[in-house]
Amino acid sequence: MRAGKILRIDSGGAAIVEIDGQAIPAEIATHLPWPVPGQRVAVMQDAEAPALILAAYPLRDAAAASHGQDGGIEAAGVGFDPATGTLRIHAQRLDLTALGSVEIRCGDSMLRFNAQGSVVLEAQAITQSAIGPYRIEGASIDLN
């Protein structure tokens, strides 16, 4: 196991890590949040397999900014506040993919997307607003 620093991540998701002054390509373990350039990482490296990033440590600036009253830690765009049970994800784009469906629930409210292209929203009340144009399109629109 060796320590390194993320130099960059290419569009295909391959990381370039600096270890002892050398730039080395490495794969990112699937359990890790996406590391960011400058982040310190632990890399497993042997002669028979590509280097593998096994752990990523919070950036000093991100860790300092997120160590507030709640004691939470933020790394690579993911933060957890144990005091409130809040998981925060900060990203330019969030891509969730499921083979069957994605369901988000909170209390009696539910939003479900399924692989067949349906979206279901169930709630006690729904409020919608728009600053600009508001369009509703469909083959047919059923109001009540």
Side-chain angles (χ1 to χ4, degrees), residues 98 100-104 110-120:
S101 66
V102 172
E103 189 168 291
I104 301 171
M110 184 271 303
L111 175 61
R112 179 186 309 122
F113 304 84
N114 71 29
Q116 290 74 39
S118 294
V119 176
V120 176

Side-chain angles (χ1 to χ4, degrees), residues 49-107:
L52 178 64
I53 299 171
L54 294 177
Y57 304 97
L59 292 167
R60 289 182 199 269
D61 294 342
S66 70
H67 274 89
Q69 300 164 346
D70 57 22
I73 296 175
E74 185 172 324
V78 177
F80 180 70
D81 179 351
T84 63
T86 302
L87 175 66
R88 292 180 189 90
I89 301 172
H90 303 277
Q92 183 70 28
R93 179 176 174 226
L94 180 61
D95 185 353
L96 299 174
T97 303
L99 298 176
S101 66
V102 172
E103 189 168 291
I104 301 171
R105 291 182 171 270
C106 183

